[in-house]
Amino acid sequence: MTDIGVRAVRKEVRRRADRIGAATPPGRDRAVDALRAAAVLGVVLGHWLVSALVSDGPTLRTASPLQHMPWLAPISWMFQTLAVFFLVGGHVATRGHASARARGVPYRQWLTGRLTRLGKPVVAVLGLWTVAALALLLSGAEFGTVRTLVKLALSPLWFLLVFAGLTAATPLLTRLNPLWPLAVVLHVDLLRFGLGGPSWLGWVNVAAAWAVPYTLGAAWTRGELERRRSGWVLLGAGAAATAVLVAWAGYPASMVGGPGEGMSNLDPPSLAVVTFGLAQCGLALLLRERLRHTLRRPVAWAAVALVNLSAMTVFLWHQTALMATTATGLLAGRLPGLHTPPDGLGWVGVRLLWLPVFALALAVCWAAFRSFERHGGGRDRRARVVRSHRPSDRGAAAKARHV
């Protein structure tokens, strides 16, 4: 591309970014959107880096580089960002519920609107994979391979079930001190690990563990976490507690699950993943002002806004993008970093080269299925991040909701 072409592209990017900035409600806290975008992208990159589909003849099985290289566990600390997502989710939900009550909107109507935004994109994923699974089985694919693919594709849905449950309980969680669900997780782990209790007790933590950052989000809404001291306390205490649990209490260093693990911090959630989440939430709170300052730049804000407009689509379809690339690659044979066992640094290096291909496949999924998210509430949901900004619709734009 010539210099003139590059300048033309930059000018067009700046023009579009300025339009998005002008369409953004002036009171919107852009740091909230930045944290949500970082949380979603962290999960996506984490899955792409630690989830592998290994080809053994006609069979595909899941594997993880953390099985063969456990010393890479610190990588999971960067990409296990669910606590930040629940922090932001709790903050936005409690703020939205308070706004709805102030406007006289009934709880049922408020909840229906929020769950509809989650539900319609999920229906699209379930529909496509139901058809795909049936087609694969009818074509003679091994049941084990089909099961592996479906399980991997639908794995993000567990998170949405928990998130939907916490959203429904928002009126009860609005003033709940985060120490209460933290105490539940502590006692559950004490019973199942320290006193030899039944392993099924761990599933109590599925709700309790993620209620901790969710109720921290409610505390943020109440204004209890505005001082920087709150962020430093959460960061320091969470990091110290996690270090103690990993070094002396036998918890795994990896904050993500993987096939063949004897113990997982995530499936079901453990006390270690909760304390680690507290540290992440503290860091997120400390970064708010810096993010607000950075997002005054039109291009930076435009990128964050675009991710937020399609956050559910990106989250729900990123595993499908991984598998579509893997399946297509099989046509060319057994490719390194895509179908080979993740048993060395060479695999990691090649895997990094595949990330742009996964992103391209995800872009195709986004183009095909983004309408399910944009119209998840029965009308265009762009007002969640930016206003509709057309000259003929300025009056309606001023009334756009952005909670």
Side-chain angles (χ1 to χ4, degrees):
M1 184 180 293
T2 65
D3 289 343
I4 296 177
V6 171
R7 285 196 295 270
V9 169
R10 288 177 177 174
K11 183 177 180 180
E12 179 63 16
V13 168
R14 284 195 295 267
R15 185 183 70 81
R16 291 180 179 271
D18 289 338
R19 283 188 62 187
I20 292 174
T24 302
R28 188 170 189 87
D29 189 347
R30 300 183 181 192
V32 172
D33 295 291
L35 291 173
R36 183 192 292 113
V40 170
L41 294 178
V43 171
V44 170
L45 288 174
H47 281 161
W48 285 352
L49 287 171
V50 304
S51 297
L53 281 169
V54 178
S55 172
D56 291 331
T59 303
L60 286 175
R61 60 178 176 84
T62 56
S64 171
L66 297 178
Q67 289 176 278
H68 303 279
M69 297 171 283
W71 48 271
L72 287 178
I75 292 178
S76 69
W77 305 346
M78 299 171 57
F79 299 113
Q80 211 297 68
T81 51
L82 284 174
V84 176
F85 194 100
F86 279 97
L87 170 75
V88 173
H91 174 55
V92 171
T94 50
R95 188 178 61 185
H97 180 251
S99 175
R101 287 187 61 187
R103 291 181 282 112
V105 176
Y107 163 76
R108 180 178 296 180
Q109 181 180 338
W110 170 81
L111 181 63
T112 300
R114 295 196 72 85
L115 295 187
T116 300
R117 299 175 198 172
L118 297 177
K120 198 168 183 181
V122 169
V123 169
V125 175
L126 289 175
L128 181 139
W129 274 100
T130 298
V131 173
L134 289 174
L136 288 170
L137 290 173
L138 292 174
S139 67
E142 289 190 355
F143 177 80
T145 294
V146 176
R147 181 177 178 272
T148 296
L149 294 176
V150 172
K151 183 178 179 181
L152 195 60
L154 302 185
S155 59
L157 297 186
W158 74 262
F159 144 83
L160 292 180
L161 289 174
V162 178
F163 191 78
L166 293 176
T167 300
T170 294
L172 300 176
L173 299 175
T174 297
R175 302 199 65 81
L176 182 68
N177 192 304
L179 291 176
W180 287 108
L182 178 60
V184 171
V185 177
L186 171 63
H187 284 84
V188 165
D189 273 19
L190 181 63
L191 286 172
R192 62 181 180 138
F193 296 138
L195 302 178
S199 59
W200 59 260
L201 278 174
W203 295 105
V204 174
N205 286 350
V206 172
W210 302 118
V212 175
Y214 195 90
T215 51
L216 276 174
W220 178 0
T221 301
R222 296 193 300 269
E224 297 174 7
L225 302 178
E226 290 304 313
R227 297 176 61 184
R228 288 186 62 83
R229 179 183 176 185
S230 300
W232 283 114
V233 169
L234 286 170
L235 176 58
T242 304
V244 169
L245 291 172
V246 171
W248 288 288
Y251 284 83
S254 172
M255 293 299 152
V256 299
E261 283 185 328
M263 175 185 176
S264 170
N265 276 323
L266 200 58
D267 188 23
S270 71
L271 179 61
V273 86
V274 174
T275 57
F276 178 75
L278 291 177
Q280 283 187 316
C281 290
L283 180 61
L285 294 172
L286 290 171
L287 290 174
R288 286 176 298 180
E289 282 305 318
R290 183 181 295 273
L291 289 171
R292 289 166 186 152
H293 181 267
T294 300
L295 293 176
R296 293 174 188 168
R297 302 171 184 172
V299 174
W301 167 240
V304 168
L306 290 174
V307 172
N308 275 272
L309 284 169
S310 302
M312 278 290 294
T313 304
V314 170
F315 181 80
L316 287 173
W317 291 96
H318 73 278
Q319 293 286 57
T320 300
L322 167 65
M323 286 180 285
T325 304
T326 303
T328 304
L330 281 173
L331 299 175
R334 199 163 178 261
L335 301 177
L338 198 60
H339 310 113
T340 53
D343 54 4
L345 282 178
W347 183 93
V348 176
V350 177
R351 186 65 162 201
L352 292 173
L353 299 178
W354 281 107
L355 293 184
V357 183
F358 297 155
L360 180 60
L362 180 55
V364 173
C365 293
W366 170 82
F369 298 103
R370 60 176 175 163
S371 61
F372 288 90
E373 181 171 7
R374 294 287 181 89
H375 303 286
R379 58 195 176 106
D380 195 333
R381 304 308 306 175
R382 285 177 295 176
R384 282 181 289 161
V385 181
V386 296
R387 292 192 185 102
S388 202
H389 196 68
R390 294 184 293 269
S392 60
D393 195 28
R394 291 181 183 272
K399 299 178 182 178
R401 290 175 59 219
H402 57 275
V403 175

